[in-house]
Amino acid sequence: MFEIKPTLNALMRSKLGAVLLILQLAITLAIVSNAVSIIQDRLSYLNKDTGYQEAAIFKFNSLNFDKNLDLLQQVELDEQALRNLDGVIDAAAVSSVVLSGSGSSGGMRLKPEPQESKSVNMGYVSGDEHLLSTLGVKVSEGRDFTAADVVVIDESDTQPSVVIVSRALSDALFGPGNGLGETLYWGADPLTIIGIVDTMANQWPKSSFGTKTALIPMVRVGNFQKFLVRTEPQDRAQVMRQIEELMLASHRERVISDVTGLDQKKARYDARDVLMMRMLMTLIVVLVIVTALGIFGLSTFNISKRTKQIGTRRALGARKSAIVRYFVVENALICTMGLMLGAAAAVLLGQQLMQWYSVPALGYSFIAVTAGLLLLMSLLSVLMPALRAANISPSIATRSV
């Protein structure tokens, strides 16, 4: 019915065009399926909940030049001035800013160094008892910091004794559902977990430890100080405009810089991912268009080369549907061979990308869906040339070539 054997024989007499199209389909499937997989992974990351109300939080830096300034007292004055500002919910001096791609990281252990022990990488942020409120997260188990928990490093050699961790960090160290009240070690220093937050990303949310976060009740003041401020979302822009004037009114021998929303910091951190997705989308569109044009061009060329043959078939009684079916079957055979080769290439390419760039493993569903769409596209691309072939007059068979 589908005249597969005659179609294969015809393809063997014109191998170059068919081979080129098979290779084009194989390359398109291999690249597009892996590109779609990467895009899906990045979209999943970009839409993932960080735990913060990013549109309500902003950060800024303060660089002091007064060598005689009591830095701790100034930080306390700055925090109080910020909290008294209309629209501000809370504010805190912090060691680093979450979602920014910059800050402090380390390992949390089950035993103190130098003992051998399980260790989990994490990002940490230190601040006072207002840190959790400023970030806008709440403990799902345990309690928040109190003023008695906070240690000021410049005043003594005392180290903090408690910590609040994300659920991901707690589960990684102690197993699902455990962790509250347990002791872990930050180097050689023991820390008791007094609170667990369900969702709390750190400074590197797309890293392998991006959800493993620790909050440490520790204040380390310096000439360069970072602040986080949480406001009502609708008031943030107005509050941000007042920050420089407010801080300089308290102490003028300093520079206020980088007054930036937390959502903007994350957007800068994610800029490479967004650019990569746009480039991959462009690549997918170009490859699909080129492949469709290749199928259309090959079909058109084959029809122009077989005009007399088609006319002869029409003169012998072949229906238009038979002519259309012939070219559709021919295209389907080429497409099938190309997609089979492309599926193997897609798996190999996915393995190399996983090894070189730590991208997630390519799911077979991406290959299957991409192959199905390419097959549909190829059939649509051949349809117009096939219909044109079906309209060739039988009288063409009587003409000289």
Side-chain angles (χ1 to χ4, degrees), residues 8-82:
L8 286 172
N9 291 334
L11 285 175
M12 292 302 294
R13 289 193 297 270
S14 180
K15 290 181 281 191
L16 182 60
V19 168
L20 290 175
L21 193 53
I22 287 170
L23 291 176
Q24 189 175 19
L25 281 164
I27 292 170
T28 301
L29 176 58
I31 294 176
V32 169
S33 57
N34 278 280
V36 171
S37 176
I38 294 171
I39 290 172
Q40 192 275 336
D41 176 69
R42 292 297 86 190
L43 283 174
S44 176
Y45 154 70
L46 291 172
N47 293 323
K48 191 175 182 180
D49 182 21
T50 61
Y52 312 112
Q53 194 176 0
E54 297 162 26
I57 301 172
F58 70 92
K59 60 89 60 177
F60 69 91
N61 304 326
S62 172
L63 177 59
N64 289 297
F65 296 104
D66 187 351
K67 296 181 180 180
N68 299 317
L69 183 67
D70 185 332
L71 295 174
L72 178 60
Q73 182 183 45
Q74 187 60 52
V75 165
E76 291 174 346
L77 290 173
D78 290 341
E79 287 181 331
Q80 194 57 52
L82 290 167

Side-chain angles (χ1 to χ4, degrees), residues 1-7 322 325-330 333:
M1 176 182 176
F2 293 108
E3 302 172 326
I4 293 178
K5 187 174 180 180
T7 305
R325 184 170 64 246
Y326 175 85
F327 285 101
V328 169
V329 169
E330 181 182 74
L333 288 172

Side-chain angles (χ1 to χ4, degrees), residues 93-347:
V94 295
S95 61
S96 56
V97 178
V98 294
L99 311 182
S100 65
S102 175
S104 304
S105 64
M108 287 293 186
R109 303 162 51 88
L110 295 179
K111 294 181 181 179
E113 292 181 343
Q115 298 182 46
E116 290 294 327
S117 170
K118 180 178 182 180
S119 178
V120 175
N121 288 332
M122 53 85 201
Y124 67 88
V125 180
S126 61
D128 61 17
E129 68 273 19
H130 292 269
L131 177 58
L132 206 69
S133 173
T134 302
L135 290 172
V137 294
K138 296 181 180 180
V139 291
S140 55
E141 294 182 39
R143 65 173 179 85
D144 194 355
F145 296 132
T146 65
D149 297 319
V150 180
V151 171
V152 180
I153 295 300
D154 288 353
E155 290 187 342
S156 68
D157 294 330
T158 305
Q159 296 295 319
S161 60
V162 296
V163 65
I164 293 174
V165 300
S166 64
R167 178 74 64 187
L169 179 56
S170 174
D171 289 351
L173 284 168
F174 301 102
N178 300 318
L180 186 64
E182 297 285 354
T183 299
L184 46 75
Y185 291 85
W186 186 27
D189 301 316
L191 296 171
T192 301
I193 298 176
I194 61 168
I196 297 175
V197 178
D198 283 334
T199 304
M200 183 169 57
N202 58 35
Q203 298 93 320
W204 305 274
K206 67 182 175 186
S207 70
S208 59
F209 59 93
T211 57
K212 299 178 178 68
T213 311
L215 303 182
I216 299 173
M218 179 177 70
V219 176
R220 190 192 300 271
V221 296
N223 289 318
F224 183 78
Q225 192 68 56
K226 296 178 181 180
F227 290 87
L228 276 180
V229 182
R230 183 163 72 97
T231 69
E232 297 293 347
Q234 67 272 15
D235 295 330
R236 192 182 73 170
Q238 179 182 352
V239 173
M240 290 172 69
R241 287 192 292 267
Q242 301 177 58
I243 290 302
E244 184 172 11
E245 183 180 350
L246 178 71
M247 293 293 99
L248 293 180
S250 173
H251 183 71
R252 301 202 63 83
E253 291 187 41
R254 57 176 166 178
V255 173
I256 306 302
S257 63
D258 197 22
V259 184
T260 310
L262 191 59
D263 51 351
Q264 296 169 307
K265 295 296 290 185
K266 188 172 187 295
R268 292 177 189 174
Y269 175 72
D270 294 333
R272 284 187 178 182
D273 294 273
V274 174
L275 177 61
M276 179 187 68
M277 286 196 303
R278 289 175 178 171
M279 292 176 65
L280 288 176
M281 288 176 183
T282 303
L283 177 63
I284 289 171
V285 171
V286 170
L287 277 174
V288 170
I289 291 175
V290 169
T291 303
L293 289 175
I295 295 169
F296 181 85
L298 179 64
S299 301
T300 302
F301 174 73
N302 284 338
I303 289 167
S304 66
K305 197 169 65 170
R306 302 176 196 171
T307 301
K308 190 171 182 180
Q309 175 190 342
I310 296 167
T312 302
R313 291 191 63 188
R314 292 281 287 121
L316 293 173
R319 296 181 178 180
K320 290 185 177 182
S321 60
I323 303 299
V324 172
R325 184 170 64 246
Y326 175 85
F327 285 101
V328 169
V329 169
E330 181 182 74
N331 176 262
L333 288 172
I334 294 173
C335 191
T336 300
M337 289 185 279
L339 294 180
M340 289 175 64
L341 180 62
V347 173

